[in-house]
Amino acid sequence: MNRSEAVKLLDRIHGRHSLNGMTEENWREAWADIQDSFTGTQFYHLLRMDRMDLVPSWLQSELKAESDRVLFQNMLIRSELKKLLKAFDAAGIPVIPLKGIRMAERYFGHFAARPTTDLDLLVRPQDLERASKLLSGMDFQQDDSPDSDHFHLLFNKFYDNPMFPFLAVELHWDILRSHASDTDTGGLWERSQPYPGYAGVRELSDEDSLYHICLHGFNHQMLSLKYILDVARLVVETAPSLRWATMTARARKDGNYSKLITVLSLVYSLCPSLEKIKPLPERKRWPLWNEELMREAGLGLKSRRYYFFRLLSIFVMYDSAGAMLNHLRYLFLPPRDYARSQFREDKGGSLLSLYTRIYRIRLRNLFGGGAARAGTKEYDI
């Protein structure tokens, strides 16, 4: 697989390879991809651990400036996270923060080492109503009513601050759509560990953190350099205690084995140095995935090739024919509430009229002579 200079740089960092062989052109090509994917702060914190002196001074300045911008935003979000966790704890509602600030602290070494724009909180299904009322009482407004297959609610809180106009909170009770997997969230809770400083706040175990971040990357088709960075970093950080046999057995039970292995295989192919850190026992190829497709997605473009990639992905991402057929049903003949949710609106009308609208848009995207803009929901109407 052809690799960009940014991905090669990531591989050199984790493989402890020399950076002396990189030319000025290599550095500038790497910076172009880093800049486009908004991953400057991750690279900054990875390099500053002990390699920053080998980076050209102009790039040190660029990475530092990017990190400073993220620092301000993450400080505000961390402050809001602390308020929320304190409120959940006081209300006796168990909660697990996903990704975000805590992941940056645990695995990248600094709360601002990974940009975040929202907060993801996992609660038990039986606590969802109480958690929603708690957020509403803290001036968060529910954004929409999800379809019955969905796995989180979205809340927004607005501020009179042009630099920080609002904060989004995704309140999860699962980590993937229910038709796409049967993830045992109860097991995530059982294996979770205490979050320092709180009585009822928990955090995922190392293995489950990697498991979750792989499934999160799958949900976004790994079409950003940030997902590759996240998975690679968690492999490195969790390697000493990571047990592939345990994780893959869990994934098989959840119906997520193909998703997990395909994501890991992709990251290992891009960062071969991971094989020396934690050998991956099995590989599975992701057809049509490449960095050019990732760059197009980063620019918000959905070309004809993108739609073929999404379609082919279905045939490798599911553990059984039944699961694959169930997903195809959601893709081609979605239930009414799901079809409406794709438009983020409720105009009523018959199911046939909804299908007509969906396929009109799909055909225009495929044969309209140009690439569609990103912005639609999971299955890209």
Side-chain angles (χ1 to χ4, degrees):
M1 178 182 290
N2 292 327
R3 300 182 299 158
S4 68
E5 291 300 331
V7 166
K8 290 177 184 177
L9 175 59
L10 178 65
D11 188 42
R12 289 187 178 102
I13 291 170
H14 287 316
R16 310 297 304 158
H17 302 311
S18 172
L19 304 182
N20 290 326
M22 292 188 66
T23 66
E24 180 72 9
E25 183 180 1
N26 294 151
W27 285 114
R28 293 199 177 276
E29 287 181 13
W31 170 238
D33 278 336
I34 292 169
Q35 195 173 27
D36 288 344
S37 59
F38 304 101
T39 54
T41 186
Q42 287 107 309
F43 275 98
Y44 175 75
H45 283 273
L46 290 174
L47 287 165
R48 74 192 291 263
M49 292 178 183
D50 62 357
R51 316 291 290 279
M52 192 59 81
D53 59 317
L54 300 175
V55 178
S57 57
W58 65 266
L59 183 52
Q60 292 184 36
S61 298
E62 295 284 8
L63 293 173
K64 177 66 164 56
E66 183 68 20
S67 180
D68 288 344
R69 285 191 288 271
V70 169
L71 176 66
F72 173 75
Q73 178 172 284
N74 278 27
M75 283 179 64
L76 295 173
I77 294 176
R78 182 176 64 163
S79 175
E80 292 299 318
L81 174 62
K82 289 181 177 179
K83 293 176 186 176
L84 284 170
L85 296 184
K86 184 177 180 180
F88 273 82
D89 215 23
I93 304 174
V95 62
I96 296 176
L98 301 173
K99 304 188 282 95
I101 297 292
R102 185 56 180 159
M103 177 177 160
E105 290 175 333
R106 289 177 71 185
Y107 301 113
F108 285 84
H110 194 280
F111 76 89
R114 181 180 178 273
T116 195
T117 56
D118 59 8
L119 295 173
D120 295 77
L121 304 176
L122 178 67
V123 297
R124 292 187 171 101
Q126 62 266 31
D127 293 324
L128 181 61
E129 184 176 354
R130 282 204 302 152
S132 298
K133 288 180 179 178
L134 186 150
L135 288 175
S136 297
M138 297 179 70
D139 298 325
F140 283 89
Q141 303 171 22
Q142 188 171 332
D143 180 73
D144 57 7
S145 296
D147 58 279
S148 58
D149 187 59
H150 210 36
F151 58 100
H152 65 73
L153 297 174
L154 177 62
F155 291 81
N156 291 312
K157 184 176 182 180
F158 298 91
Y159 303 88
D160 186 19
N161 182 342
M163 297 188 68
F164 192 69
F166 74 96
L167 174 64
V169 172
E170 290 187 358
L171 193 60
H172 291 248
W173 58 92
D174 207 334
I175 58 176
L176 285 178
R177 282 186 167 274
S178 58
H179 87 269
S181 75
D182 189 24
T183 306
D184 177 19
T185 54
L188 298 179
W189 283 98
E190 290 170 7
R191 295 184 296 273
S192 66
Q193 55 200 41
Y195 190 116
Y198 300 92
V201 181
R202 313 285 295 179
E203 56 187 2
L204 296 179
S205 68
D206 283 344
E207 270 189 20
D208 285 338
S209 294
L210 175 58
Y211 183 44
H212 170 251
I213 211 65
C214 286
L215 295 181
H216 176 68
F218 151 77
N219 211 30
H220 294 276
Q221 302 87 46
M222 296 296 287
L223 289 177
S224 172
L225 184 56
K226 65 183 180 181
Y227 303 124
I228 296 164
L229 271 158
D230 282 349
V231 174
R233 187 62 186 168
L234 263 73
V235 168
V236 171
E237 289 294 299
T238 64
S241 61
L242 187 57
R243 300 165 298 172
W244 288 131
T246 305
M247 182 183 291
T248 54
R250 188 177 304 137
R252 287 184 189 279
K253 184 179 177 182
D254 291 346
N256 294 328
Y257 177 77
S258 293
K259 305 179 190 71
L260 175 69
I261 293 299
T262 305
V263 167
L264 286 168
S265 299
L266 173 64
V267 176
Y268 270 68
S269 68
L270 293 169
C271 299
S273 61
L274 296 178
E275 189 67 30
K276 295 182 179 179
I277 297 169
K278 190 70 177 183
L280 185 65
E282 186 176 348
R283 300 289 182 100
K284 191 169 185 178
R285 187 171 172 272
W286 200 335
L288 297 187
W289 193 100
N290 58 50
E291 287 194 73
E292 187 175 350
L293 190 69
M294 183 175 74
R295 289 191 194 93
E296 288 180 358
L299 296 172
L301 299 177
K302 293 179 176 178
S303 64
R304 195 172 301 171
R305 178 176 58 181
Y306 168 85
Y307 287 101
F308 285 128
F309 160 72
R310 292 299 304 275
L311 183 61
L312 279 179
S313 294
I314 296 170
F315 299 95
V316 299
M317 285 300 185
Y318 292 92
D319 294 358
S320 68
M324 182 183 68
L325 291 172
N326 198 23
H327 184 84
L328 285 169
R329 179 176 68 88
Y330 261 81
L331 180 64
F332 292 108
L333 295 172
R336 184 190 302 272
D337 65 338
Y338 175 75
R340 285 179 176 168
S341 76
Q342 292 294 284
F343 295 100
R344 295 181 64 87
E345 61 187 43
D346 186 359
K347 287 192 173 183
S350 67
L351 189 58
L352 178 60
S353 68
L354 284 170
Y355 288 168
T356 301
R357 292 175 67 198
I358 287 173
Y359 278 94
R360 186 184 300 125
I361 293 171
R362 287 176 173 175
L363 290 171
R364 185 171 67 238
N365 289 345
L366 280 172
F367 303 110
R373 298 298 301 180
T376 50
K377 299 183 80 175
E378 285 89 343
Y379 297 121
D380 303 294
I381 60 172

